[in-house]
Amino acid sequence: MRALQTERLVKQVKHTYENVVPYRKKMQEKGVEPGDITSIDDLSKLPFVNKDDLRDEYPHGFRAVPLEDCVRIQSTSGTTGRRVVAFYTQADVDLWDECCARAIVAAGGTKEDVVHVSYGYGLFTGGPGLNGGSHKVGSLTLPMSSGNTERQIQFMTDLESTILCCTPSYAAFLAEAIHEAGLIDRIKLKAGIFGAEAWSEEMRRNIEKNLRIKAYDIYGLTETSGPGVSFECEEQTGMHVNEDHFFAEIIDPDTGEALPEGSKGEIVFTSLTKQAFPLLRYRTRDICVLSRKECSCGRTLVKMAKPMGRTDDMLIIRGVNVFPSQIETVLLNQGYPANYLIILDRVNFTDTFEVQVEMTEEMFSDEVKFIEKKESELLAALRSMLGISPAVKLVAPRTIARSEGKAVRVVDKRKI
Amino acid sequence: MILEQISVFVENRAGAVADITQTLAEADIDIKALTLADTGDFGVLRLIVDAPKKALAVLKLAGSVASLTPVVVTSMGNEPGSVAKIARALADAGVSLEYIYAFVAREAGSAYAVIRVENAEAGDAVLLKAGYGEDFKL
């Protein structure tokens, strides 16, 4: 494996240096040349790439091949400011499909299976990723996308879906709806591949019990390709990293120093094979641990633990990435004070998301309909910025703590 | 006649109305009439008080969001059909109501209506013309 990784890294560094100007500059600033990288062990000589770098170079800065060689884009959720557009050549799509196919196979999938994909399709990578993986396995693929629960259940029973792919919270929701409809005995599911948001072991057991399946975790991010960077096997003790394509390191988030196996730190990925959007040492901000302990499934790919938190203030709410600063921007644009409180909780395995906003003289009226109109304008602006709808609660002025030093902006009551 | 109604934002929390009315009580402000409009997540408390400008000042000082709105206050009969009559008079003149509430003054024993219309002066004129002239004495 290390020989393959070395061979691929050497090639990838050269490709990136020649074609990605901002990364070439980073290497020059660090005094590193492609020739200095002769082995995977030299990886730590390379500079990191941050989300801010990608944002600053939006949309084309990190694209490494001519547009005519690209066949697809996917994009992260979030604002225009925070958005990242990832490009794919046909080979990039193929390797992504391959990674997702491995996840499906690890969950027991074969060409006999009916793979029910209820991740969103579109710019979000969930739907397209598992869709491609399922094609590669040769399974019958149901491109359901998210929402329309009644139709989801109808197809699940009529077409006898065997593997469900969606966010864990949607799986829990579907399970509940299936039981309410009294249709659990007509469900043929045997496994589920759930990712894009944090979920607890308790939630896994609950979904497994209610859907009578085995539930597998999957991990990925748009910047590296999408889901399938790592995936769980039947042992359910961490996710095997597809390290022939994505090399994983753990670093100290403060010093950037690479840490030995078993240390807790920020997980950093280097895409060894991607052509159009080859990120070297991409900082995910996810806190994680890597383990090379032997796995009973026989795979020798390194395993990463479920991410244990973030090094930045990003929140994952119902599978969507939310930065508190986005909420601040909307409030300021809409004429509210930039004083707000985000309250997150998890009720029946679904995230609840409330934004408390202070009432102002300008927004106030003796007429309720005027205030409600302002409130719905704020809600629409938040929805369009975040891609997810919070509940807005108007509170009395000066009741939310002013920012003195580090203001508490988020109260996360979710037990994950 | 036209009076200034004070409207106060009420957040959805136990004790919110108690806090507002306590502030008014401490400033020795007499509430003549009061109504709370509520939605699922907040309310608007509307009051007719003896000193609206002072009420506005003390509430703002206490950190509330409040405003003054001109409203038409008129006496009316205190028998069935009284509200219907004034509402009809306004409707016939093409004045639409934003909201209305009623109260009985302890001294006179007469009933009064507080009416919010877009143009308070026009609404007041309609009612005067219809014979509702009696002033409400604070």
Side-chain angles (χ1 to χ4, degrees), chain A residues 369-380:
Chain A
K369 67 178 180 214
F370 174 87
I371 303 175
E372 286 186 326
K373 185 170 161 271
K374 289 278 173 195
E375 200 179 10
S376 63
E377 281 167 10
L378 173 62
L379 199 60

Side-chain angles (χ1 to χ4, degrees), chain A residues 101-405:
Chain A
R102 291 179 191 172
I104 293 170
V105 170
T110 68
K111 67 186 290 295
E112 316 285 320
D113 279 292
V114 178
V115 177
H116 188 109
V117 184
S118 305
Y119 281 114
Y121 279 67
L123 289 171
F124 177 57
T125 53
L130 272 304
N131 192 91
S134 173
H135 275 234
K136 198 106 178 173
V137 174
S139 313
L140 176 63
T141 312
L142 273 49
M144 300 302 300
S145 198
S146 51
N148 200 340
T149 302
E150 202 181 317
R151 188 177 63 192
Q152 300 274 359
I153 299 173
Q154 192 193 341
F155 274 77
M156 214 175 266
T157 52
D158 294 352
L159 289 156
E160 304 190 344
S161 308
T162 56
I163 298 178
L164 172 64
C165 307
C166 61
T167 59
S169 53
Y170 194 56
F173 180 80
L174 273 174
E176 209 166 276
I178 287 166
H179 281 276
E180 266 170 29
L183 291 171
I184 188 65
D185 291 328
R186 293 188 51 205
I187 298 294
K188 299 286 193 305
L189 291 175
K190 63 175 189 185
I193 301 172
F194 307 128
E197 65 187 13
W199 50 313
S200 62
E201 223 22 62
E202 183 205 355
M203 188 166 177
R204 186 211 299 266
R205 296 303 158 219
N206 195 293
I207 294 171
E208 289 188 329
K209 188 172 129 255
N210 287 339
L211 284 177
R212 303 171 183 173
I213 61 171
K214 196 158 167 136
Y216 298 84
D217 206 351
I218 187 166
Y219 175 92
L221 49 169
T222 309
E223 292 86 341
T224 54
S225 63
V229 169
S230 63
F231 60 92
E232 238 174 12
C233 63
E234 69 265 19
E235 206 185 83
Q236 295 179 318
T237 53
M239 295 174 277
H240 288 288
V241 178
N242 278 313
E243 59 180 325
D244 48 339
H245 294 295
F246 305 103
F247 188 85
E249 297 169 90
I250 294 288
I251 63 156
D252 179 327
D254 297 323
T255 64
E257 187 196 346
L259 300 175
E261 185 203 324
S263 314
K264 189 167 155 182
E266 180 178 341
I267 190 158
V268 170
F269 285 105
T270 295
S271 58
L272 296 172
T273 48
K274 280 189 68 182
Q275 299 172 337
F277 204 65
L279 298 186
L280 302 177
R281 302 196 89 198
Y282 181 69
R283 294 188 62 161
T284 63
R285 305 282 168 194
D286 282 326
I287 302 288
C288 209
V289 173
L290 288 175
S291 164
R292 289 211 170 267
K293 237 167 75 184
E294 203 177 307
C295 186
S296 63
C297 78
R299 287 179 186 81
T300 53
L301 299 168
V302 68
K303 278 208 287 202
M304 63 180 269
K306 210 182 253 301
M308 301 153 185
R310 302 272 309 167
T311 65
D312 60 9
D313 59 355
M314 189 181 90
L315 303 165
I316 302 179
I317 307 171
R318 287 178 228 142
V320 176
N321 299 348
V322 171
F323 289 90
S325 57
Q326 295 176 301
I327 293 170
E328 199 166 311
T329 305
V330 173
L331 290 176
L332 290 170
N333 287 343
Q334 299 282 317
Y336 288 88
N339 230 29
Y340 60 93
L341 193 61
I342 299 166
I343 300 187
L344 301 173
D345 206 343
R346 188 162 279 183
V347 178
N348 292 329
F349 302 105
T350 302
D351 293 338
T352 60
F353 175 21
E354 177 182 285
V355 179
Q356 292 191 354
V357 181
E358 288 185 352
M359 191 68 188
T360 64
E361 302 279 339
E362 295 72 37
M363 298 300 144
F364 183 64
S365 160
D366 64 312
E367 290 183 74
V368 168
K369 67 178 180 214
F370 174 87
I371 303 175
E372 286 186 326
K373 185 170 161 271
K374 289 278 173 195
E375 200 179 10
S376 63
E377 281 167 10
L378 173 62
L379 199 60
L382 284 169
R383 185 165 45 227
S384 97
M385 172 74 93
L386 306 174
I388 179 175
S389 271
V392 169
K393 186 182 178 190
L394 294 170
V395 299
R398 286 169 290 278
T399 50
I400 297 171
R402 295 340 239 193
S403 31
E404 286 160 15

Side-chain angles (χ1 to χ4, degrees), chain B residues 80-100:
Chain B
S82 298
V83 176
K85 277 184 203 152
I86 54 169
R88 177 60 61 198
L90 289 166
D92 288 347
V95 177
S96 64
L97 294 183
E98 300 296 338
Y99 53 81
I100 180 170

